[in-house]
């Protein structure tokens, strides 16, 4: 059996704005957007084979939870890029602060806190 990860669905306050930012940072495209369950709204952004589903629930206020402290909670989203330095320049130009830089076998990485407190790990294996 061949298995691959297709998407991850996360709740955000502004799916359109977050999707536009991620498309710009990572050369992704918006695959779909529209009404979603519970009178919500969703935007799917990514590549032809995988994407993030960015979901805003209808009529609900989103709360925050500290990363790395909740069972089943989202710690970060990892994105692989060909050119880590170019990706970091885009992140900085978008107004975000890279942190936790590391060289490790087999690649290099950094993290940044994006919209809604979602942490992204950007890694290159080049």
């Amino acid at each position: 059996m061949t298995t691959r990860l297709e998407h991850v669905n996360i709740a955000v306050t502004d799916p359109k704005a977050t999707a536009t930012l991620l498309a710009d940072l990572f050369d992704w495209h918006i695959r779909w957007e529209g009404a979603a369950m519970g009178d919500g709204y969703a935007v799917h952004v990514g590549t032809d084979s995988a994407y993030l589903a960015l979901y805003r629930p209808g009529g609900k206020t989103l709360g925050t939870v500290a990363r790395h402290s909740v069972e089943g909670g989202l710690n970060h989203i990892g994105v692989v890029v060909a050119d880590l330095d170019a990706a970091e320049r885009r992140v900085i130009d978008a107004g975000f602060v890279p942190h936790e830089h590391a060289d490790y076998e087999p690649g290099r990485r950094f993290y940044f806190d994006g919209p809604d407190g979602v942490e992204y790990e950007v890694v290159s294996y080049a």
Side-chain angles (χ1 to χ4, degrees):
M1 173 173 71
T2 301
T3 305
R4 69 176 176 83
L5 182 65
E6 182 203 33
H7 75 274
V8 173
N9 186 311
I10 61 173
V12 299
T13 56
D14 189 340
K16 286 184 178 187
T18 301
T20 298
L21 171 71
L22 295 175
D24 290 344
L25 289 177
F26 302 125
D27 292 329
W28 288 351
H29 63 275
I30 294 174
R31 295 167 41 122
W32 175 86
E33 66 180 287
M37 68 176 207
D39 294 324
Y41 194 83
V43 179
H44 296 178
V45 62
T47 67
D48 290 337
S49 61
Y51 64 95
L52 288 177
L54 306 171
Y55 170 71
R56 182 192 66 230
K60 295 180 184 174
T61 302
L62 296 174
T64 60
V65 177
R67 275 193 306 270
H68 306 285
S69 64
V70 175
E71 186 174 327
L74 175 70
N75 293 323
H76 66 263
I77 296 170
V79 178
V80 178
V81 298
D83 185 335
L84 190 68
D85 297 324
E88 185 169 14
R89 281 191 298 278
R90 285 183 176 188
V91 166
I92 291 167
D93 289 347
F96 298 100
V97 179
H99 58 86
E100 303 296 322
H101 293 77
D103 291 349
Y104 69 108
E105 188 60 40
R108 299 171 47 223
R109 69 175 179 227
F110 69 87
Y111 296 82
F112 73 96
D113 297 325
D116 297 303
V118 175
E119 183 178 63
Y120 294 86
E121 176 184 6
V122 184
V123 62
S124 177
Y125 299 112

